[in-house]
Amino acid sequence: MAVQDSLDLAYQLNERCLKLLRDVTGTPDGGNWPLIAHDPTLWSTLDAQTIERAARFPFVILDVHFTGVEWWREVIDGSAVPAAPHTWPANVSEQLMSETLVFAWHTAKWDRRVARLSLWSVACRSGVDRGATPQQLATI
């Protein structure tokens, strides 16, 4: 996997997240999300070109606790981790988490430095790249 491949995957994940946030804005629950509640008009008016431009950060904008070593240890060990309020709907969060974990796992295996930069992570110390089995990643 080349650096450009990692960047392209990060852009795709970011774009998907931004589109989903825009779409949540129009739902009854949208106002409960602090990020959306801050400026719902802005979120509801994002067009495809704006989202594509905003998604081109050189890192993944989705926070899946990559900086929380203890959180990852608890998840890998099977400890109960409570869901945060105003989380993504289950079907969406499962897809996003799966895509992000596959990206993180492959990137960390390929180049830990790139993984740390693109995910703002300590995934290499938390076990995502070494100790987590495919079954554990699927459970997460």
Side-chain angles (χ1 to χ4, degrees):
M1 178 183 275
V3 173
Q4 188 59 48
D5 292 337
S6 291
L7 285 173
D8 289 342
L9 290 172
Y11 299 157
Q12 290 172 25
L13 280 169
N14 290 343
E15 189 170 338
R16 188 159 151 65
C17 290
L18 291 169
K19 285 178 180 176
L20 288 167
L21 282 167
R22 179 201 55 205
D23 295 346
V24 167
T25 303
T27 67
D29 215 26
N32 293 330
W33 291 47
L35 182 62
I36 294 171
H38 180 71
D39 195 345
T41 304
L42 172 73
W43 284 103
S44 65
T45 58
L46 290 178
D47 60 21
Q49 184 179 18
T50 302
I51 288 174
E52 186 178 330
R53 248 190 349 263
R56 296 197 57 84
F57 283 106
F59 52 84
V60 175
I61 61 174
L62 181 66
D63 178 11
V64 289
H65 302 281
F66 280 125
T67 58
V69 174
E70 189 59 35
W71 188 89
W72 279 102
R73 285 191 184 126
E74 290 175 6
V75 169
I76 290 169
D77 292 341
S79 304
V81 179
H86 313 301
T87 58
W88 298 93
N91 63 329
V92 174
S93 64
E94 288 173 13
Q95 292 173 13
L96 286 174
M97 182 62 99
S98 176
E99 292 171 20
T100 304
L101 287 174
V102 168
F103 171 76
W105 192 78
H106 283 290
T107 304
K109 288 283 188 189
W110 172 69
D111 187 329
R112 289 180 183 199
R113 184 184 54 83
V114 172
R116 285 188 189 113
L117 293 172
S118 63
L119 297 162
W120 287 1
S121 76
V122 291
C124 296
R125 292 195 314 253
S126 66
V128 172
D129 69 326
R130 287 181 302 210
T133 65
Q135 293 80 12
Q136 288 171 319
L137 291 176
T139 301
I140 295 168

